[in-house]
Amino acid sequence: MAALLISVIGLGILRDFNFNYIYLVYFIGMIYLLSFQVVKLEVLLKITNRIYSLYVLLSFLLYLDIINLNGRELNNFHYNIFGYNFETFIGYYGSTASIDSISLFVALLNLLFNKGKSRWLIVVITVIISIGTLRETPFVALILSLFFIQCIKYIGKFIKYFIPMFIFIAFFIPYSIIQISNSASIIKEFFVTITSARTPIWNQMLDIYINSNVYGKLFGFGNTELFKITPFGKYDIISGYQMIEVINPHNNYFTILIQYGLFVFFGFLIFIIYKLRKIDDFKFLLIIFYILIIAITNNQIFTFHFPIYLIWLILLLNNNIIIKNKG
């Protein structure tokens, strides 16, 4: 109802009705429905592995040019490693970002919860696929998740309430300071590396949001594709080719902020913090932190495209998963 109301207000003020507000209805609907479901962990894991297997099969067919995406240009990269030309692996949606994080996510789920004979086989295959994208972001997310777990163990469980806000501050405030001061090039390069070159995109998207009207700041625009930016300049310095304009923030939190505005953005953070207070299982917390962190460099974690993230996140936050060996 809130999403529809915002759409009507937007239609009156901006003369533009955008159905991307349906994503908000979907998100809230998923939270509501899964709040009443209790799921056996081994069943959810088996479903996750089967869905991922199908996704990997389609990805390999796309990678080998056996199938295509109706002419869509694939977002893969070429590297020369020890004298061998290597083309990064891509997911079925045509990008390294479509498979790097979810592969490590499936590896982590099986490492923590799979007690069957297939456990290590799945872990090895998924890690190899994630490495094959040559993206650092999934592993940075895992390292940070493990760091937060250690903080909770040694500092106290109260600190977990502040982690969602800490994630936002840790990634955006330092980079913004660097951008303003136009210094600390080594640190700046480090930020660009660990975020797979997302930070220049975020910087411009943040400028767009800051310079938007009051309605846009509070209620969003219903669409991030209204804004086109060229994050690395008109031409790529390395290849000399003209860069394609970017039309999404490559960040789920910026997507929420620009699509739905400040109220929904803070509502989402408050919801996560509120739910974290009842989670004491460190395995659950590790998965939750990983999902929250990879959302920083992925645009589709909380949308229709990868619902398995959202399903795991909501069920874990609600403690609605039964682990067999605990009865």
Side-chain angles (χ1 to χ4, degrees):
M1 289 178 66
L4 292 175
L5 177 61
I6 293 171
S7 300
V8 172
I9 295 172
L11 182 63
I13 297 177
L14 302 178
R15 307 297 178 190
D16 178 38
F17 182 87
N18 193 289
F19 285 96
N20 277 340
Y21 279 110
I22 293 174
Y23 280 123
L24 184 58
V25 178
Y26 161 75
F27 182 77
I28 295 171
M30 286 282 283
I31 292 172
Y32 178 77
L33 291 175
L34 290 175
S35 295
F36 299 100
Q37 301 299 318
V38 179
V39 177
K40 289 184 178 179
L41 189 143
E42 62 268 22
V43 174
L44 181 57
L45 183 60
K46 186 179 292 185
I47 292 170
T48 301
N49 287 339
R50 288 178 179 176
I51 292 172
Y52 176 77
S53 299
L54 176 60
Y55 180 68
V56 168
L57 174 62
L58 292 170
S59 299
F60 268 109
L61 293 176
L62 180 66
Y63 184 71
L64 298 173
D65 292 325
I66 297 173
I67 59 175
N68 60 64
L69 295 176
N70 295 323
R72 176 181 171 182
E73 185 177 351
L74 302 181
N75 187 24
N76 52 4
F77 304 92
H78 297 267
Y79 291 89
N80 188 287
I81 302 176
F82 302 116
Y84 293 95
N85 291 323
F86 178 78
E87 186 176 334
T88 56
F89 193 58
I90 52 173
Y92 181 60
Y93 289 108
S95 170
T96 55
S98 300
I99 199 165
D100 59 347
S101 297
I102 198 167
S103 295
L104 198 59
F105 176 61
V106 174
L108 193 57
L109 290 175
N110 281 275
L111 183 64
L112 294 176
F113 303 121
N114 190 346
K115 305 302 179 183
K117 296 179 180 179
S118 63
R119 177 189 186 188
W120 287 109
L121 178 63
I122 295 173
V123 170
V124 170
I125 291 173
T126 49
V127 169
I128 289 173
I129 290 173
S130 187
I131 293 173
T133 64
L134 296 184
R135 303 293 96 181
E136 298 90 348
T137 47
F139 298 95
V140 172
L142 178 57
I143 291 169
L144 285 174
S145 300
L146 291 169
F147 169 74
F148 290 145
I149 292 295
Q150 294 304 311
C151 288
I152 294 171
K153 284 183 177 179
Y154 293 105
I155 297 176
K157 292 182 179 180
F158 71 92
I159 199 171
K160 66 186 176 183
Y161 309 139
F162 303 98
I163 287 175
M165 193 61 70
F166 176 79
I167 290 170
F168 182 81
I169 294 171
F171 272 84
F172 296 103
I173 302 301
Y175 187 75
S176 299
I177 293 171
I178 293 167
Q179 288 294 103
I180 293 169
S181 64
N182 203 19
S183 61
S185 59
I186 296 176
I187 301 175
K188 187 175 180 180
E189 184 64 29
F190 173 73
F191 266 87
V192 172
T193 300
I194 67 171
T195 59
S196 295
R198 299 290 198 261
T199 40
I201 299 172
W202 300 342
N203 191 58
Q204 292 196 46
M205 284 290 179
L206 189 58
D207 286 341
I208 288 171
Y209 176 78
I210 291 172
N211 294 315
S212 63
N213 56 45
V214 175
Y215 174 83
K217 287 187 177 74
L218 296 179
F219 300 104
F221 298 92
N223 192 351
T224 60
E225 296 182 6
L226 296 170
F227 313 110
K228 295 182 179 181
I229 62 172
T230 310
F232 303 105
K234 188 175 182 181
Y235 292 94
D236 184 352
I237 297 173
I238 299 174
S239 66
Y241 291 107
Q242 188 170 357
M243 296 294 291
I244 298 172
E245 290 179 322
V246 176
I247 56 175
N248 76 68
H250 290 69
N251 180 306
N252 233 131
Y253 299 107
F254 269 153
T255 298
I256 292 172
L257 189 63
I258 293 173
Q259 281 191 351
Y260 310 124
L262 202 60
F263 288 138
V264 173
F265 175 76
F266 277 111
F268 173 72
L269 287 181
I270 292 168
F271 168 77
I272 297 295
I273 293 168
Y274 175 76
K275 288 293 185 179
L276 279 175
R277 78 194 195 285
K278 292 185 178 180
I279 311 297
D280 294 323
D281 191 306
F282 287 116
K283 291 181 180 180
F284 284 19
L285 287 172
L286 184 61
I287 298 295
I288 291 168
F289 293 155
Y290 179 81
I291 295 173
L292 293 177
I293 294 170
I294 60 172
I296 293 173
T297 55
N298 288 265
N299 194 56
Q300 299 172 334
I301 301 301
F302 308 126
T303 64
F304 296 115
H305 303 280
F306 289 97
I308 201 69
Y309 285 124
L310 192 55
I311 291 169
W312 275 96
L313 180 64
I314 295 169
L315 288 174
L316 289 173
L317 285 172
N318 284 305
N319 271 318
N320 283 5
I321 288 184
I322 298 176
I323 300 177
K324 188 176 181 179
N325 59 12
K326 288 185 178 179

